[in-house]
Amino acid sequence: MDSKQVAELSSYYLFQNYAREALCFSHGKGEYLWDLEGNRYIDYVAGIAVNCLGHAHPELVKAICEQASRLIHVSNLYQVKEQADLGEALAAIVPAPLGRSFFCNSGAEANEAALKLAVKHTGRPKVVAARNSFHGRTAATLSVTGQGKYQKGFEPLLSRNVDFIGYNSVEELKAAVDHGTAALILEPVQGEGGVIPASQEFFRAARDLCTDTGALMLVDEVQTGMGRTGEWFGFQHYGVVPDVISLAKGLGGGVPIGAIITSPDIAKAFTPGVHGTTFGGNPLACAAASVVIRVLRQERLVERAAELGAEWKRELVRTVQGHEGVTEVRGMGLMLGVELGDLAKGFQAYALARRLLVNVAGGRTVRLVPPLIISKGSIQELDAALSSYLHGN
Ligand SMILES: Cc1ncc(COP(=O)(O)O)c(C=O)c1O
């Protein structure tokens, strides 16, 4: 079967809710993917900021195989050693007083849990979120997603209790967060919105306001977490500690898992029966995530993301210089965005024709979120393609 035949089969049997390329991969290794026809691609998408260790990392593969041969799932009716181990590993990389984890299966579920936790902890109904944000597709997370295109057709959702503010507007932040606010939810870098980092002033004001009003500061680290931005977590660029963080994507290195981490005090709001999930924290996903943390440490991939990302950003700025269609290169670590405006989709197609996989966020920005193990050579290949696309050389 070739990629086109898979696309045809999918068109009969699957929901047509994704605008997929007619491209199907059979396997991967490191930053490379191979399609069913045997062509090799360089992957700057990493499953949308998921495959942080690249494809088929031997230690991750070994851990998954070993765990699967022992125990995949038992439910949360029982103690789960791999879950406790992962909680301990996460506690070692977050600042105090964070250190209590709850596990689920995706980013939306993690944010859903964070929102429920904030309402339960504070006894308040209201949530403040940013325009142009993305927090997931469940009813509650869609309600705090500040982009009409995702909400269209599903209104009013839970929007009665959600106020949107301008991302990076301290003024609007101050007007919105008050003593009736359960939570303020923010991404450190808006990913789906187009790789837009929060300003120092905004993030710090957010922390201060939450402290003053008793609202919980929920930081959505689903895309920015696990070393992506050159720190373990995006909030660490701002010198603040949130009340709750949500994680998913990179946490399992490709195995579905989500988490929220908070303080022991706030975690008390979830007493037995208040919140839960059947699959969340299963031995397989937790064993994978523990290995991801170990390998990120062993291979110093967080530091590498910071260094390589800074170098790459400087190079991208040089590459786009002199082209009037390009307004900005943004981002931190290996979460970079090149705003190409109307040219963004064109570059995505141009890159694909050269077997370079990139994707467009926010309609106008080429998003670069490769595996954290990406080689300098692969980075140079992308730069060369961008240069020839823009400057025709
Ligand atoms: C910041 C952020 N939060 C939440 C989500 C939703 O995660 P999931 O697709 O795993 O539900 C995403 C997905 O792109 C995201 O980028």
Side-chain angles (χ1 to χ4, degrees), residues 28-225:
K29 186 82 198 151
E31 74 243 54
Y32 302 113
L33 280 168
W34 282 264
D35 66 14
L36 295 182
E37 291 71 31
N39 301 305
R40 194 192 80 170
Y41 296 74
I42 305 178
D43 185 7
Y44 306 90
V45 178
I48 320 184
V50 168
N51 305 97
C52 52
L53 306 184
H55 300 280
H57 190 289
E59 288 200 46
L60 183 56
V61 172
K62 183 164 165 265
I64 292 169
C65 292
E66 280 179 7
Q67 186 59 47
S69 70
R70 258 196 321 273
L71 193 64
I72 293 176
H73 175 80
V74 284
S75 89
N76 289 302
L77 295 172
Y78 310 102
Q79 298 293 327
V80 180
K81 179 179 181 300
E82 294 76 13
Q83 201 179 117
D85 286 343
L86 177 58
E88 186 179 24
L90 284 168
I93 57 172
V94 291
L98 303 179
R100 287 260 158 122
S101 293
F102 164 82
F103 296 108
C104 51
N105 312 289
S106 69
E109 263 186 76
N111 286 329
E112 188 86 20
L115 292 166
K116 281 180 72 178
L117 181 69
V119 170
K120 194 82 172 49
H121 172 79
T122 60
R124 305 171 182 178
K126 212 179 76 175
V127 176
V128 176
R131 286 193 285 275
N132 198 45
S133 60
F134 186 85
H135 298 295
R137 309 277 197 150
T138 61
T141 59
L142 198 51
S143 298
V144 295
T145 287
Q147 299 192 59
K149 68 177 179 190
Y150 295 115
Q151 295 180 329
K152 197 159 175 267
F154 298 106
E155 300 99 338
L157 295 161
L158 312 177
S159 52
R160 211 159 42 89
N161 287 321
V162 182
D163 285 336
F164 287 105
I165 57 163
Y167 191 63
N168 285 337
S169 168
V170 174
E171 203 178 315
E172 289 185 39
L173 182 68
K174 284 185 176 158
V177 177
D178 58 28
H179 286 83
T181 308
L184 167 66
I185 182 164
L186 292 172
E187 294 156 272
V189 180
Q190 288 189 330
E192 300 304 301
V195 191
I196 303 169
S199 70
Q200 289 289 333
E201 193 197 4
F202 180 69
F203 231 63
R204 289 187 187 166
R207 175 65 278 175
D208 289 346
L209 264 173
C210 287
T211 304
D212 293 348
T213 57
L216 295 190
M217 183 181 187
L218 313 185
V219 174
D220 181 342
E221 296 276 359
V222 167
Q223 193 161 148
T224 48

